[in-house]
Amino acid sequence: MIGKLIASGFGDFLNLFYPDPCLLCQNSLQNGEELICTVCRLQLPETGQHRGDALMAGQTKFAGKVPVEFVDAYLYFTKRGKTQRLIHALKYRGHKEVGHLLGRWYGYQLKTDSQLNEHIDLIVGVPLHPAKLRQRGYNQSDWIAQGLSEALEIPWSDRALTRSQYTISQTGKDRMERWENVSNVFQVGEPDLVANKRILLVDDV
Ligand SMILES: [Zn+2]
């Protein structure tokens, strides 16, 4: 405990001289800022969909297979934009804590602006292919799920869904074949966790 206190005190001390840079603009982070500076945060291309009536149902590949109540996205994606750079840091530069931060920010918005949290029982990240999970060491969607869980005060699980080794290309397949393909790839991990639950499924792109 004392060792930890000293270590964290020493970290603060070092930060006086070498403050962490913002992941996006490289400017030094100020007190209370975490990973992304306030200027960059305010420039994030939020969709704001959850504030309107754009919580779309039934327009996904799940349409007609699993009852989907809504679909929403936190940020717009533009090539070489802030979202792409954050996703890149999250997936390829080991910054899993970016997922947790974005999940929290999004979760607080959802809680403030919608009644969504009253309609969800469990938060689940889409599992990574096992080979990719071994290579990366973490599932970025699980980190987003944990951030959402903290903000929305709803449990999350990384055991509800599993993903098999089996993957075949989705290109050149029609809608039905793609669905059959996906249903072979994902399985329910622990049926008791998901039975009769309303699930918020989290994917990173
Ligand atoms: Zn910045």
Side-chain angles (χ1 to χ4, degrees):
M1 183 64 186
I2 288 173
K4 199 175 168 195
L5 279 176
I6 292 171
S8 87
F10 187 60
D12 289 344
F13 178 70
L14 277 183
N15 275 346
L16 283 176
F17 300 100
Y18 306 103
D20 286 330
C22 167
L23 271 178
L24 291 171
C25 71
Q26 312 306 323
N27 284 333
S28 297
L29 292 175
Q30 306 296 311
N31 256 349
E33 290 176 345
E34 195 183 339
L35 302 169
I36 300 167
C37 76
T38 308
V39 174
C40 288
R41 180 180 180 179
L42 292 173
Q43 291 171 353
L44 289 180
E46 294 180 351
T47 69
Q49 279 176 357
H50 61 283
R51 296 193 190 99
D53 53 3
L55 294 178
M56 296 171 290
Q59 296 185 10
T60 72
K61 59 191 170 195
F62 300 115
K65 315 290 180 187
V66 176
V68 176
E69 276 182 51
F70 68 88
V71 180
D72 195 24
Y74 179 38
L75 301 175
Y76 288 114
F77 183 89
T78 49
K79 226 167 169 46
R80 286 183 287 281
K82 286 189 162 56
T83 307
Q84 186 183 29
R85 286 159 59 206
L86 286 175
I87 293 286
H88 194 268
L90 172 64
K91 288 171 76 168
Y92 307 115
R93 287 168 51 209
H95 288 291
K96 46 189 187 261
E97 67 280 9
V98 168
H100 197 278
L101 183 68
L102 294 176
R104 259 183 293 148
W105 285 352
Y106 186 28
Y108 289 130
Q109 282 193 7
L110 289 173
K111 196 168 185 175
T112 309
D113 300 335
S114 71
Q115 282 78 49
L116 197 59
N117 50 311
E118 293 165 22
H119 301 276
I120 302 166
D121 302 309
L122 185 70
I123 303 172
V124 175
V126 170
L128 275 187
H129 188 275
K132 195 148 266 178
L133 183 61
R134 270 196 301 279
Q135 180 193 4
R136 190 167 297 156
Y138 59 92
N139 176 0
Q140 68 278 1
S141 296
D142 279 343
W143 281 77
I144 301 171
Q146 286 176 66
L148 282 163
S149 168
E150 186 178 315
L152 292 168
E153 299 178 82
I154 294 167
W156 77 282
S157 174
D158 58 0
R159 290 175 291 123
L161 267 186
T162 61
R163 184 171 187 154
S164 64
Q165 299 280 352
Y166 173 76
T167 318
I168 45 174
S169 172
Q170 295 281 57
T171 44
K173 295 193 160 42
D174 68 22
R175 191 185 173 88
M176 199 57 181
E177 287 172 325
R178 278 205 305 271
W179 171 260
E180 282 166 359
N181 189 13
V182 165
S183 65
N184 289 334
V185 170
F186 296 103
Q187 296 87 30
V188 170
E190 292 189 20
D192 289 348
L193 270 178
V194 297
N196 301 314
K197 296 273 174 66
R198 295 164 300 177
I199 313 263
L200 178 64
L201 192 61
V202 182
D203 207 353
D204 58 338
V205 179

